[in-house]
Amino acid sequence: VADPKRVDGSMFRIYRDTRFSHDKTPYKTHVGLHFWHDGKDLECPPSFYLHLSPGEIFGGGGCWRPDPVTLRKIRLHIDTAPKECKPVRATVLEIEGSTLKRVPAGFPADHPFAVDLMRKDHFASEMFSASDVASADFLDRFIETCRTMSPLMKFLTAAQGQRW
């Protein structure tokens, strides 16, 4: 019998210790799967993500809540490589997450990608229904969602000095 492949990560526990609690509800009611392209040594590697929970199912990709060093690298890449930023803007994706009220210090307020410089998160997603997940072609649909997000992932990977 072959040894199972070791995974460098962990599963989170969905249950809390409820022996002495009146609240017996699960601690976590969702499953989240990250698919990293590369960059195990990075603080916030760009990744594809699949979120499964009752009432909320989505697939996405990017960097959610990157640390300050990573966010600075992304902003510098937006500033110094605008040609690489254009394909991301050309997709039909809406980049989600929090933004600053002003362009960060060190960047001109009238920068052509000022909106992107103000982002705290660089993540896009597509919602799915429970029937989508139960269908035979769900994996193909999720892969197509990942392909749509490839320009964003390529950009974020380059911003962190990784190969695509």
Side-chain angles (χ1 to χ4, degrees):
V1 176
D3 290 334
K5 184 180 177 197
R6 181 165 163 31
V7 177
D8 291 334
S10 63
M11 296 288 289
F12 54 76
R13 294 172 45 146
I14 64 168
Y15 296 105
R16 66 176 113 223
D17 185 354
T18 59
R19 293 175 296 174
F20 309 107
S21 173
H22 294 289
D23 182 6
K24 305 293 186 191
T25 58
Y27 178 65
K28 296 276 189 184
T29 58
H30 73 278
V31 173
L33 296 96
H34 280 270
F35 303 94
W36 283 280
H37 169 68
D38 199 0
K40 286 190 279 184
D41 299 330
L42 297 176
E43 192 69 33
C44 183
S47 63
F48 293 109
Y49 181 72
L50 180 61
H51 179 96
L52 304 168
S53 70
E56 185 179 43
I57 302 166
F58 64 90
C63 290
W64 184 260
R65 301 288 189 253
D67 61 290
V69 172
T70 302
L71 188 56
R72 179 78 178 154
K73 287 179 182 178
I74 293 169
R75 288 177 175 156
L76 286 172
H77 198 60
I78 290 169
D79 185 41
T80 60
K83 287 183 180 177
E84 291 182 34
C85 200
K86 284 183 183 180
V88 176
R89 282 271 194 87
T91 66
V92 293
L93 301 173
E94 180 180 333
I95 308 297
E96 304 169 19
S98 302
T99 61
L100 300 170
K101 293 182 181 184
R102 300 186 284 279
V103 175
F107 301 100
D110 62 345
H111 194 284
F113 293 100
V115 172
D116 299 307
L117 290 170
M118 292 189 298
R119 296 187 190 288
K120 294 181 185 178
D121 307 304
H122 295 269
F123 189 84
S125 68
E126 181 178 335
M127 299 299 289
F128 296 106
S129 68
S131 61
D132 290 336
V133 175
S135 70
D137 69 338
F138 175 68
L139 185 56
D140 294 330
R141 289 194 58 203
F142 177 68
I143 290 170
E144 188 55 39
T145 297
C146 293
R147 275 194 190 103
T148 304
M149 296 176 187
S150 290
L152 173 63
M153 295 295 287
K154 181 179 180 179
F155 181 82
L156 294 171
T157 302
Q160 295 188 51
Q162 298 293 309
R163 63 179 177 76
W164 175 247

